[in-house]
């Protein structure tokens, strides 16, 4: 069972991470440097490729040829490799916790038992479909619309976001207060477009989805004919929700998705849906206003609650109960779930070994309990201090750059510097760990553990509504190989998981570190000033601090990057969507520029010698390419291009470099070379 918390979805709106696939991670011994000890192995190179023609291939082509995608993955690269190593590290922690007879109720007991129950396949097989029986019975018993609405609220408390999503979020325009957010949702396919596109691929995938839904109903015990008919009912209702949903590009715009409404306004928006009853049922009875992210979507939900027969709604709810439960049920459910979401949608060939799925599930459900042990074991205080120093150097580089920008007037510059000054930096792990004392975890049932952990998190989340924002919270667990910028907190966050080789290695050449983790840090800083992040001020409020002229200049610079990425072809007929990936691409170009400036400053007056024939500047760019080295299956590339605001790794590797004079200079690239764009884009 995977819990679908609102946080996952909010991540898409507010937290701009450095890469896709927020799966897992963990610490690892330094990557063997192969034939070098400066943090980049020469075996990564493909010297048959010229750096000025395709730098990414030049830098990482050797690695990509030598590292085909393992059967259980759909993308395999630096991020995935480090995540995979982290899984092994976490597995050791979890097995030890399970074997060490920890005190009942301690975090060690909880993580050990959570993992052990997940690994107990004989208990899971014996339970079959039974764990979801009470949910299915509750749906069967529904008599009327009132009951249906109450059941939607009940399922939401179980973290099953049927029909829509609801959760706590800082008020965009009063960032010290938490508010309830109602957000579009309720779909089984990854995005609205999957229901609406007319190309052959999409049509085929919809047929596959209907087949899959039917098979899942059959596994839950329905006769094949009935199951097939039910799948069509699900498709019809989800399609009507999809039609009323906003696109991923529209969802990136915080202004558009900020619609604070009083109960009276809500009544007007959705006359037949009782928000009072809903808020009461989820334990938020005293809430008097909420943010309705996408008002038209909620009009459609309101309409469908009346227009679609109760019997059809019951089928839809049944599907989402089965769908959410599947990963925690017996093997038949797990396999069929993988067949569609893992194989057909993402292109993986095999299911991951069970232990990997169980480690990830533990990290996802009670990740701060696991993370606390993880950082004790793998993240020494010196690592935190060194990372902090690098972040400070990067911030200093941008601070010196802003006053020199010809396209930004002095008034906006002053505001930008104030925002930069106000950044909060979080490194490694939270200062205050989550308190799991009220969560009970045992060895008897994996399904029940996931259910209780989900309900615990959901209750914790809903309890925040109407309260002051707790700025000490983290949006990623410590072992995560990723980083993020959270606009409403005006913060940049680097979990312990990413602060290790090959992103960062204290023993490696500084140039490689600056091109790796330095550019990642710069990327997160730049998100504070990307097309959407720049709409939030230093206190995290959605508040325009730009003059009209400066905003216009900035937008023109953004348009240049948007055009560049629109030009990248993923496969025939599918390009990157420049508007969707704009924030991330601004982050990459801006981040690299800041990291490069910081590196140049760090070697002022003491320029290091060449290593293995590479100048310090060349090594900086090799460090960047190394981070993005990856092989990807066609299905995964398609899925990412369709749904993810992060461009594909292969475009991130080359895209920003082809705009940078410093890159061309480092490798002697000339006008006309593929790595030198005729119309270079520049932000910082
Ligand atoms: Zn990002």
């Amino acid at each position: 069972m995977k819990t679908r918390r609102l946080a996952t979805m909010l991540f898409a709106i507010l937290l701009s991470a450095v890469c896709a696939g927020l799966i897992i991670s963990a610490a690892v011994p330094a990557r063997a440097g192969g034939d070098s000890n400066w943090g980049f192995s020469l075996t990564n190179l493909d010297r048959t490729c010229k750096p000025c023609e395709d730098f990414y291939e030049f830098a990482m082509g050797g690695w990509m040829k030598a590292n085909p995608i393992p059967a259980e993955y759909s993308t395999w690269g630096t991020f995935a490799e480090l995540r995979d190593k982290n899984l092994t590290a976490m597995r050791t922690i979890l097995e030890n916790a399970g074997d060490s007879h920890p005190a009942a109720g301690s975090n060690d007991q909880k993580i050990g038992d959570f993992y052990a129950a997940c690994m107990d396949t004989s208990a899971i097989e014996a339970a079959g479909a039974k764990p979801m029986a009470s949910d299915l019975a509750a749906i069967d018993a529904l008599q009327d619309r009132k009951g249906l609405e109450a059941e939607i609220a009940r399922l939401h408390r179980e973290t099953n976001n049927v029909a829509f999503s609801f959760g706590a979020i800082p008020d965009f325009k009063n960032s010290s207060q938490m508010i309830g957010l109602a957000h579009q949702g309720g779909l089984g396919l990854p995005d609205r477009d999957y229901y609406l596109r007319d190309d052959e691929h999409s049509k085929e995938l919809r047929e596959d989805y209907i087949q899959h839904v039917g098979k899942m109903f059959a596994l839950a015990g329905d006769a094949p004919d009935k199951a097939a008919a039910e799948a069509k009912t699900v498709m019809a209702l989800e399609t009507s929700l999809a039609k009323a949903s906003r696109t991923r590009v529209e969802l990136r715009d915080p202004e558009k998705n900020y619609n604070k409404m009083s109960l009276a306004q809500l009544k007007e928006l959705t006359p037949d849906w009782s928000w009072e009853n809903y808020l009461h049922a989820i334990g938020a009875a005293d809430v008097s206003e909420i943010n309705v992210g996408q008002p038209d979507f909620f009009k459609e939900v309101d309409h469908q609650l009346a227009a679609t027969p109760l019997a059809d709604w019951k089928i839809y709810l049944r599907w989402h109960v089965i769908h959410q439960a599947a990963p925690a049920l017996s093997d038949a459910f797990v396999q069929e779930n993988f067949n569609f979401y893992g194989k057909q949608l993402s292109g993986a060939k095999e299911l991951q070994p069970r232990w990997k799925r169980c480690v990830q599930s533990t990290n996802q459900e009670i990740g701060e309990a696991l993370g606390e042990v993880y950082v004790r074991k793998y993240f020494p205080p010196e690592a935190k201090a060194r990372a902090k120093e690098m972040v400070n150097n990067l911030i200093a580089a941008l601070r010196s750059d802003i006053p020199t920008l010809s396209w930004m007037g002095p008034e906006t510059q002053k505001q930008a510097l104030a925002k930069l000054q106000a950044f909060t930096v979080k490194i490694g792990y939270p200062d205050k760990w989550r308190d799991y004392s009220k969560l009970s975890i045992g060895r008897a049932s994996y399904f029940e553990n996931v259910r209780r952990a989900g309900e615990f998190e959901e209750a914790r989340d809903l309890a925040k509504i109407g309260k002051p924002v707790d700025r000490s919270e983290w949006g990623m667990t410590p072992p995560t190989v990723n980083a993020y910028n959270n606009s409403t907190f005006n913060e940049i966050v680097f979990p312990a998981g990413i602060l290790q080789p090959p992103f960062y290695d204290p023993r490696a050449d500084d140039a490689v570190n600056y091109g790796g983790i330095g550019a990642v840090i710069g990327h997160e800083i730049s998100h504070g000033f990307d097309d959407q992040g720049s709409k939030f001020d230093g206190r995290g409020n959605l508040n325009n601090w730009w003059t009209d002229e400066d905003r216009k200049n900035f937008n023109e610079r953004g348009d240049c990057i948007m055009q560049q990425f629109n030009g990248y072809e993923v496969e025939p007929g599918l390009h990157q969507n420049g508007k969707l990936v704009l924030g991330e691409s601004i982050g990459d170009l801006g981040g690299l520029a800041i990291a490069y400036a910081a590196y140049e400053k760090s070697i002022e007056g003491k320029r290091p010698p060449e290593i293995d024939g590479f100048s310090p500047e060349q090594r900086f760019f090799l460090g960047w390419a190394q981070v993005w080295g990856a092989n990807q299956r066609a299905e995964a590339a398609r899925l990412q291009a369709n749904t993810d605001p992060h461009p594909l790794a292969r475009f991130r590797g080359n895209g920003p470099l082809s705009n940078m004079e410093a890159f061309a200079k480092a490798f002697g690239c000339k006008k006309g070379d593929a790595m030198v764009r005729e119309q270079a884009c520049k932000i910082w």
Side-chain angles (χ1 to χ4, degrees):
M1 162 160 67
K2 65 172 189 288
T3 53
R4 288 180 288 167
R5 255 171 240 132
L6 188 71
T8 320
M9 170 216 87
L10 292 183
F11 206 89
I13 331 176
L14 278 176
L15 311 185
S16 306
V18 71
C19 77
L22 310 167
I23 321 167
I24 300 291
S25 58
V28 184
R31 155 145 138 168
D35 50 3
S36 88
N37 55 7
W38 48 279
F40 184 91
S41 166
L42 297 181
T43 58
N44 290 348
L45 297 169
D46 177 355
R47 290 188 192 263
T48 66
C49 237
K50 295 207 167 46
C52 295
E53 287 309 308
D54 186 341
F55 182 68
Y56 184 59
E57 275 298 321
F58 167 77
M60 292 304 289
W63 185 92
M64 290 189 275
K65 278 181 199 80
N67 290 276
I69 308 171
E72 71 204 61
Y73 287 93
S74 55
T75 300
W76 187 247
T78 301
F79 276 89
E81 197 183 31
L82 184 51
R83 283 177 180 142
D84 205 60
K85 288 178 182 169
N86 262 0
L87 290 178
T88 306
M90 284 189 273
R91 178 192 198 178
T92 310
I93 292 173
L94 293 170
E95 287 178 350
N96 287 344
D99 293 343
S100 64
H101 306 290
S106 64
N107 277 355
D108 275 355
Q109 175 262 312
K110 285 171 192 173
I111 59 174
D113 283 357
F114 193 100
Y115 179 74
C118 178
M119 291 300 289
D120 185 357
T121 47
S122 49
I124 290 168
E125 284 312 307
K130 279 200 288 279
M132 57 182 179
S134 64
D135 277 338
L136 296 180
I139 294 167
D140 270 349
L142 296 178
Q143 299 288 340
D144 53 23
R145 165 150 180 178
K146 204 161 168 242
L148 170 62
E149 292 192 10
E151 182 61 12
I152 290 173
R154 193 189 71 79
L155 289 168
H156 280 189
R157 287 202 314 272
E158 286 182 356
T159 75
N160 197 336
N161 291 320
V162 289
F164 64 95
S165 306
F166 192 85
I169 190 174
D171 185 333
F172 288 2
K173 295 198 175 170
N174 178 15
S175 67
S176 60
Q177 282 293 314
M178 297 300 280
I179 190 174
L181 169 67
H183 198 276
Q184 72 184 42
L187 305 180
L189 284 168
D191 185 66
R192 70 183 288 282
D193 289 352
Y194 281 80
Y195 295 84
L196 309 176
R197 273 208 205 103
D198 234 9
D199 58 286
E200 283 311 308
H201 246 312
S202 304
K203 284 186 199 163
E204 224 170 85
L205 203 59
R206 282 198 288 277
E207 279 313 308
D208 293 341
Y209 178 59
I210 291 172
Q211 293 286 323
H212 165 66
V213 176
K215 282 182 194 161
M216 294 294 267
F217 276 124
L219 285 175
D222 296 351
D225 283 4
K226 186 178 173 221
E230 287 171 329
K232 289 192 175 137
T233 302
V234 167
M235 190 65 180
L237 185 47
E238 288 188 358
T239 303
S240 63
L241 296 178
K243 279 183 185 154
S245 297
R246 286 188 179 154
T247 64
R248 300 249 170 184
V249 168
E250 291 167 325
L251 290 177
R252 289 192 64 239
D253 181 348
E255 315 243 11
K256 197 168 179 169
N257 294 285
Y258 182 79
N259 308 284
K260 196 150 89 169
M261 293 187 184
S262 66
L263 290 175
Q265 287 169 312
L266 288 167
K267 182 102 205 138
E268 214 170 292
L269 180 78
T270 57
D272 295 322
W273 165 263
S274 168
W275 284 100
E276 280 98 336
N277 288 351
Y278 176 78
L279 292 167
H280 191 268
I282 60 166
D286 51 351
V287 168
S288 59
E289 56 181 9
I290 61 171
N291 177 11
V292 180
Q294 303 76 30
D296 286 344
F297 176 83
F298 284 89
K299 278 190 198 164
E300 178 64 16
V301 172
D302 193 44
H303 168 70
Q304 289 300 336
L305 282 167
T308 300
L310 179 66
D312 290 2
W313 271 104
K314 287 162 79 165
I315 291 166
Y316 166 85
L317 296 184
R318 270 171 65 80
W319 153 241
H320 281 278
V321 163
I322 301 165
H323 171 58
Q324 190 183 31
L329 296 177
S330 55
D331 193 52
F333 287 94
V334 171
Q335 286 293 347
E336 177 50 34
N337 189 57
F338 171 74
N339 280 343
F340 183 70
Y341 290 98
K343 254 190 201 163
Q344 282 168 291
L345 260 176
S346 313
K349 307 281 182 224
E350 276 173 20
L351 196 58
Q352 284 187 355
R354 183 149 194 104
W355 73 264
K356 287 192 186 181
R357 287 179 276 135
C358 289
V359 170
Q360 290 174 74
S361 176
T362 314
N363 187 45
Q364 181 176 327
E365 301 300 336
I366 48 173
E368 286 203 11
L370 170 56
E372 202 174 346
V373 188
Y374 173 88
V375 297
R376 244 190 348 253
K377 209 169 151 101
Y378 297 106
F379 192 64
E382 309 87 80
K384 188 164 178 160
R386 280 200 218 96
K388 177 90 192 176
E389 188 186 322
M390 200 159 206
V391 173
N392 288 341
N393 292 349
L394 271 283
I395 289 179
L398 183 56
R399 196 185 296 125
S400 349
D401 189 59
I402 287 173
T404 71
L405 296 173
S406 60
W407 57 270
M408 191 190 268
E411 192 42 42
T412 308
Q413 284 180 4
K414 206 174 119 198
Q415 301 290 335
L417 287 167
K419 176 167 182 175
L420 189 61
Q421 188 68 31
F423 266 165
T424 299
V425 180
K426 291 177 178 170
I427 292 172
Y429 52 90
D431 291 333
K432 190 177 84 191
W433 293 100
R434 197 158 296 176
D435 176 6
Y436 290 104
S437 55
K438 294 208 166 64
L439 170 65
S440 142
I441 298 291
R443 289 219 174 187
S445 166
Y446 172 52
F447 182 95
E448 286 305 321
N449 285 343
V450 177
R451 167 65 48 85
R452 279 196 298 270
E455 285 175 342
F456 171 83
E457 276 302 323
E458 188 70 20
R460 208 180 67 81
D461 184 62
L462 292 171
K464 294 180 207 166
I465 298 173
K467 306 255 165 50
V469 168
D470 176 1
R471 291 190 174 235
S472 71
E473 287 214 342
W474 279 53
M476 283 180 182
T477 67
T480 307
V481 183
N482 209 336
Y484 67 90
N485 175 313
N486 178 2
S487 300
T488 59
F489 283 24
N490 192 32
E491 65 174 5
I492 48 177
V493 185
F494 306 93
I498 199 170
L499 298 170
Q500 44 181 335
F503 291 87
Y504 177 65
D505 181 352
R507 287 160 298 180
D509 174 35
D510 247 10
V512 177
N513 282 328
Y514 271 90
I517 197 69
V520 168
I521 294 166
H523 172 103
E524 300 310 339
I525 294 173
S526 291
H527 269 313
F529 306 91
D530 73 20
D531 62 321
Q532 305 303 335
S534 60
K535 295 175 179 170
F536 291 84
D537 66 18
R539 294 215 309 258
N541 282 314
L542 188 56
N543 171 30
N544 182 23
W545 47 270
W546 295 67
T547 65
D548 290 350
E549 196 190 337
D550 291 340
R551 173 57 76 176
K552 189 172 149 271
N553 289 340
F554 177 71
N555 287 346
E556 276 167 15
R557 283 162 188 265
D559 285 347
C560 175
I561 298 174
M562 184 183 77
Q563 302 290 357
Q564 178 186 2
F565 278 80
N566 276 338
Y568 289 134
E569 189 182 58
V570 176
E571 64 181 17
L574 179 65
H575 282 70
Q576 292 277 196
N577 177 346
K579 261 200 176 130
L580 180 61
V581 301
L582 181 55
E584 296 303 328
S585 307
I586 290 176
D588 283 347
L589 180 57
L592 267 167
I594 302 169
Y596 187 82
Y599 177 62
E600 289 290 284
K601 190 161 189 311
S602 78
I603 58 170
E604 241 168 45
K606 44 176 175 149
R607 199 163 178 280
E610 283 190 359
I611 303 178
D612 286 337
F614 291 109
S615 72
E617 288 77 12
Q618 290 176 331
R619 300 198 298 271
F620 171 90
F621 292 111
L622 289 171
W624 170 256
Q626 174 165 248
V627 165
W628 298 110
N631 289 308
Q632 189 169 40
R633 296 193 207 281
E635 292 88 343
R638 203 175 297 139
L639 179 66
Q640 189 178 342
N642 281 327
T643 61
D644 199 315
H646 301 84
L648 305 192
R650 62 182 195 254
F651 302 131
R652 298 183 81 169
N654 275 344
L657 305 188
S658 63
N659 287 314
M660 292 179 74
E661 260 176 58
F663 171 78
K665 199 173 149 214
F667 285 93
C669 306
K670 303 271 176 312
K671 243 191 160 99
D673 289 339
M675 286 301 298
V676 181
R677 279 169 53 77
E678 209 165 297
Q679 274 201 311
C681 311
K682 190 170 185 321
I683 304 271
W684 310 119

